[in-house]
Amino acid sequence: MTLENSSEYVAFIGSDEVGKGEWLGPLVAAAVALSHEQRSYLVTQGVMDTKKLRIQTILDLAGIIRSYCLGYHAVTISPRSFNRLMNEVKGEGRNLNDILAWAHAQAIGNVFEDLKQKKISGKIKVFVDMFDRIKTEERIKRVLDPKDFDLDQHPKAEHETSVAAASIIARSVRELWIDERS
Protein backbone atom coordinates (compact mmCIF):
# COMPACT_ATOMS: atom_id res chain seq x y z
CA MET A 1 0.00 0.00 0.00
CA THR A 2 1.11 3.51 -0.76
CA LEU A 3 0.81 6.01 2.04
CA GLU A 4 1.71 9.36 0.54
CA ASN A 5 2.93 11.39 3.50
CA SER A 6 1.76 14.85 2.56
CA SER A 7 0.29 17.16 5.17
CA GLU A 8 -0.92 19.29 2.26
CA TYR A 9 -4.09 17.16 2.01
CA VAL A 10 -6.91 16.86 4.56
CA ALA A 11 -8.36 13.79 2.86
CA PHE A 12 -7.67 11.22 0.18
CA ILE A 13 -10.52 10.02 -2.04
CA GLY A 14 -9.98 6.83 -3.98
CA SER A 15 -12.29 5.54 -6.69
CA ASP A 16 -12.44 2.18 -8.44
CA GLU A 17 -14.94 0.01 -10.26
CA VAL A 18 -15.77 -3.68 -10.49
CA GLY A 19 -17.93 -5.68 -12.84
CA LYS A 20 -16.65 -4.15 -16.05
CA GLY A 21 -16.87 -6.83 -18.71
CA GLU A 22 -18.47 -9.38 -16.40
CA TRP A 23 -21.33 -11.50 -17.71
CA LEU A 24 -23.14 -11.61 -14.37
CA GLY A 25 -24.05 -8.80 -12.03
CA PRO A 26 -23.83 -5.02 -12.05
CA LEU A 27 -21.09 -2.57 -12.78
CA VAL A 28 -20.27 -0.78 -9.52
CA ALA A 29 -18.08 2.29 -9.10
CA ALA A 30 -17.26 3.34 -5.56
CA ALA A 31 -15.35 6.15 -3.89
CA VAL A 32 -13.99 6.28 -0.34
CA ALA A 33 -12.54 9.25 1.56
CA LEU A 34 -9.87 8.67 4.18
CA SER A 35 -7.71 10.78 6.47
CA HIS A 36 -3.98 10.09 6.94
CA GLU A 37 -4.69 8.12 10.10
CA GLN A 38 -7.51 6.10 8.54
CA ARG A 39 -5.28 5.10 5.64
CA SER A 40 -2.66 3.75 8.03
CA TYR A 41 -5.24 1.95 10.17
CA LEU A 42 -6.94 0.28 7.19
CA VAL A 43 -3.61 -1.08 5.97
CA THR A 44 -3.16 -2.76 9.38
CA GLN A 45 -6.64 -4.28 8.96
CA GLY A 46 -5.66 -5.89 5.64
CA VAL A 47 -7.04 -3.45 3.07
CA MET A 48 -5.38 -4.27 -0.25
CA ASP A 49 -6.19 -5.03 -3.87
CA THR A 50 -9.39 -7.10 -3.94
CA LYS A 51 -7.90 -9.53 -6.45
CA LYS A 52 -5.85 -10.90 -3.55
CA LEU A 53 -8.78 -11.28 -1.13
CA ARG A 54 -11.45 -13.93 -0.53
CA ILE A 55 -15.10 -12.86 -0.73
CA GLN A 56 -15.71 -13.18 3.03
CA THR A 57 -12.62 -11.07 3.74
CA ILE A 58 -13.91 -8.42 1.31
CA LEU A 59 -17.28 -8.34 3.05
CA ASP A 60 -15.63 -8.09 6.49
CA LEU A 61 -13.26 -5.33 5.37
CA ALA A 62 -16.13 -3.44 3.73
CA GLY A 63 -17.82 -3.24 7.13
CA ILE A 64 -14.66 -1.87 8.72
CA ILE A 65 -14.19 0.67 5.93
CA ARG A 66 -17.81 1.85 6.11
CA SER A 67 -17.64 2.41 9.85
CA TYR A 68 -14.19 4.01 9.85
CA CYS A 69 -13.92 6.20 6.71
CA LEU A 70 -14.78 9.88 6.28
CA GLY A 71 -17.33 9.00 3.60
CA TYR A 72 -18.12 6.52 0.86
CA HIS A 73 -20.55 6.14 -2.01
CA ALA A 74 -21.24 3.44 -4.60
CA VAL A 75 -22.94 3.81 -7.98
CA THR A 76 -24.56 0.55 -9.08
CA ILE A 77 -25.54 0.04 -12.71
CA SER A 78 -27.68 -3.07 -13.14
CA PRO A 79 -27.15 -5.25 -16.22
CA ARG A 80 -30.43 -3.97 -17.74
CA SER A 81 -29.44 -0.32 -17.15
CA PHE A 82 -25.92 -1.01 -18.38
CA ASN A 83 -27.22 -2.46 -21.67
CA ARG A 84 -29.54 0.53 -22.13
CA LEU A 85 -26.71 2.98 -21.39
CA MET A 86 -24.35 1.18 -23.76
CA ASN A 87 -26.89 1.45 -26.57
CA GLU A 88 -27.34 5.16 -25.82
CA VAL A 89 -23.63 5.97 -25.73
CA LYS A 90 -22.87 3.90 -28.83
CA GLY A 91 -25.62 5.81 -30.66
CA GLU A 92 -23.85 9.02 -29.68
CA GLY A 93 -20.45 7.78 -30.85
CA ARG A 94 -19.17 7.24 -27.32
CA ASN A 95 -18.13 4.08 -25.44
CA LEU A 96 -17.83 2.25 -22.11
CA ASN A 97 -15.28 4.76 -20.84
CA ASP A 98 -17.95 7.47 -20.92
CA ILE A 99 -20.14 5.38 -18.60
CA LEU A 100 -17.19 4.62 -16.32
CA ALA A 101 -16.16 8.29 -16.16
CA TRP A 102 -19.73 9.29 -15.28
CA ALA A 103 -20.02 6.61 -12.56
CA HIS A 104 -16.66 7.54 -10.99
CA ALA A 105 -17.54 11.24 -11.05
CA GLN A 106 -20.90 10.56 -9.38
CA ALA A 107 -19.33 8.48 -6.61
CA ILE A 108 -16.51 10.99 -6.03
CA GLY A 109 -18.92 13.94 -6.10
CA ASN A 110 -21.17 12.32 -3.49
CA VAL A 111 -18.22 11.58 -1.21
CA PHE A 112 -17.03 15.17 -1.63
CA GLU A 113 -20.50 16.32 -0.50
CA ASP A 114 -20.21 14.05 2.57
CA LEU A 115 -16.97 15.82 3.46
CA LYS A 116 -18.59 19.24 3.08
CA GLN A 117 -21.48 18.21 5.34
CA LYS A 118 -18.95 17.06 7.94
CA LYS A 119 -17.27 20.47 7.59
CA ILE A 120 -14.01 18.94 6.37
CA SER A 121 -12.33 21.58 4.25
CA GLY A 122 -8.97 21.93 2.62
CA LYS A 123 -7.13 20.37 -0.28
CA ILE A 124 -8.17 16.82 -1.22
CA LYS A 125 -6.22 14.30 -3.25
CA VAL A 126 -8.35 12.19 -5.59
CA PHE A 127 -6.98 8.89 -6.92
CA VAL A 128 -8.61 7.02 -9.80
CA ASP A 129 -7.47 3.79 -11.40
CA MET A 130 -6.69 5.08 -14.90
CA PHE A 131 -8.85 3.96 -17.83
CA ASP A 132 -9.38 7.20 -19.82
CA ARG A 133 -7.53 10.17 -18.39
CA ILE A 134 -9.29 12.90 -20.36
CA LYS A 135 -12.89 11.67 -20.02
CA THR A 136 -12.45 11.03 -16.31
CA GLU A 137 -10.91 14.43 -15.63
CA GLU A 138 -13.63 16.20 -17.64
CA ARG A 139 -16.41 14.36 -15.80
CA ILE A 140 -14.94 14.98 -12.35
CA LYS A 141 -14.49 18.68 -13.12
CA ARG A 142 -18.21 18.84 -13.92
CA VAL A 143 -19.06 17.91 -10.32
CA LEU A 144 -16.09 19.37 -8.38
CA ASP A 145 -14.31 22.70 -8.42
CA PRO A 146 -10.75 22.04 -9.68
CA LYS A 147 -9.28 24.33 -7.00
CA ASP A 148 -10.56 21.95 -4.29
CA PHE A 149 -8.67 18.82 -5.34
CA ASP A 150 -5.63 17.34 -7.06
CA LEU A 151 -6.36 14.42 -9.38
CA ASP A 152 -3.97 11.49 -9.71
CA GLN A 153 -4.80 8.85 -12.31
CA HIS A 154 -2.52 5.92 -12.90
CA PRO A 155 -2.72 2.22 -13.74
CA LYS A 156 -2.89 -0.23 -10.83
CA ALA A 157 -3.97 2.55 -8.47
CA GLU A 158 -5.17 -0.12 -6.01
CA HIS A 159 -1.76 0.31 -4.37
CA GLU A 160 -3.16 3.57 -2.94
CA THR A 161 -5.10 2.66 0.22
CA SER A 162 -8.13 4.82 -0.62
CA VAL A 163 -8.46 3.14 -4.04
CA ALA A 164 -8.11 -0.32 -2.49
CA ALA A 165 -10.81 0.64 0.03
CA ALA A 166 -13.07 1.84 -2.81
CA SER A 167 -12.46 -1.41 -4.66
CA ILE A 168 -13.46 -3.38 -1.56
CA ILE A 169 -16.65 -1.35 -1.16
CA ALA A 170 -17.49 -1.75 -4.87
CA ARG A 171 -16.84 -5.48 -4.77
CA SER A 172 -18.93 -5.96 -1.62
CA VAL A 173 -21.85 -4.02 -3.15
CA ARG A 174 -21.60 -6.12 -6.30
CA GLU A 175 -21.43 -9.43 -4.42
CA LEU A 176 -24.40 -8.52 -2.22
CA TRP A 177 -26.38 -7.42 -5.31
CA ILE A 178 -25.73 -10.79 -6.97
CA ASP A 179 -26.60 -12.71 -3.78
CA GLU A 180 -29.90 -10.84 -3.37
CA ARG A 181 -30.95 -11.56 -6.95
CA SER A 182 -29.77 -15.18 -7.18
Side-chain angles (χ1 to χ4, degrees):
M1 291 286 96
T2 303
L3 293 174
E4 182 175 310
N5 191 13
S6 173
S7 58
E8 174 182 2
Y9 301 106
V10 297
F12 300 84
I13 298 175
S15 183
D16 201 7
E17 83 283 332
V18 297
K20 177 177 65 178
E22 299 289 336
W23 63 272
L24 174 67
L27 170 66
V28 179
V32 173
L34 303 171
S35 67
H36 286 284
E37 297 78 20
Q38 291 167 333
R39 292 165 76 212
S40 297
Y41 174 75
L42 290 176
V43 169
T44 68
Q45 298 304 299
V47 169
M48 65 175 69
D49 186 355
T50 58
K51 295 172 200 74
K52 299 175 183 177
L53 299 172
R54 294 178 305 116
I55 297 298
Q56 189 56 54
T57 303
I58 289 168
L59 297 175
D60 294 343
L61 286 172
I64 294 169
I65 293 164
R66 284 183 180 105
S67 65
Y68 197 70
C69 71
L70 296 173
Y72 70 93
H73 189 80
V75 174
T76 304
I77 303 172
S78 70
R80 181 173 287 145
S81 294
F82 178 81
N83 290 335
R84 182 183 47 77
L85 284 169
M86 277 305 293
N87 286 332
E88 286 176 20
V89 297
K90 281 182 182 178
E92 297 169 355
R94 297 182 296 152
N95 60 32
L96 172 62
N97 287 342
D98 291 285
I99 295 171
L100 292 174
W102 171 83
H104 279 275
Q106 291 302 306
I108 292 166
N110 284 320
V111 169
F112 213 88
E113 285 303 311
D114 289 347
L115 298 180
K116 280 186 183 177
Q117 288 180 359
K118 292 178 180 175
K119 307 223 184 297
I120 297 171
S121 62
K123 198 72 162 180
I124 295 174
K125 182 83 171 212
V126 176
F127 295 95
V128 180
D129 194 16
M130 188 167 59
F131 56 88
D132 188 317
R133 181 179 299 275
I134 294 170
K135 287 179 183 179
T136 304
E137 187 171 342
E138 287 173 355
R139 276 291 181 173
I140 293 172
K141 286 181 177 178
R142 287 183 188 180
V143 296
L144 300 179
D145 187 339
K147 71 177 176 22
D148 293 335
F149 71 97
D150 289 331
L151 180 61
D152 185 343
Q153 298 182 69
H154 58 275
K156 301 189 190 304
E158 299 88 359
H159 294 294
E160 164 47 41
T161 308
S162 60
V163 175
S167 183
I168 288 168
I169 293 293
R171 181 84 184 273
S172 71
V173 168
R174 185 173 187 281
E175 291 299 327
L176 292 172
W177 189 98
I178 291 170
D179 286 350
E180 288 172 3
R181 285 156 182 82
S182 293

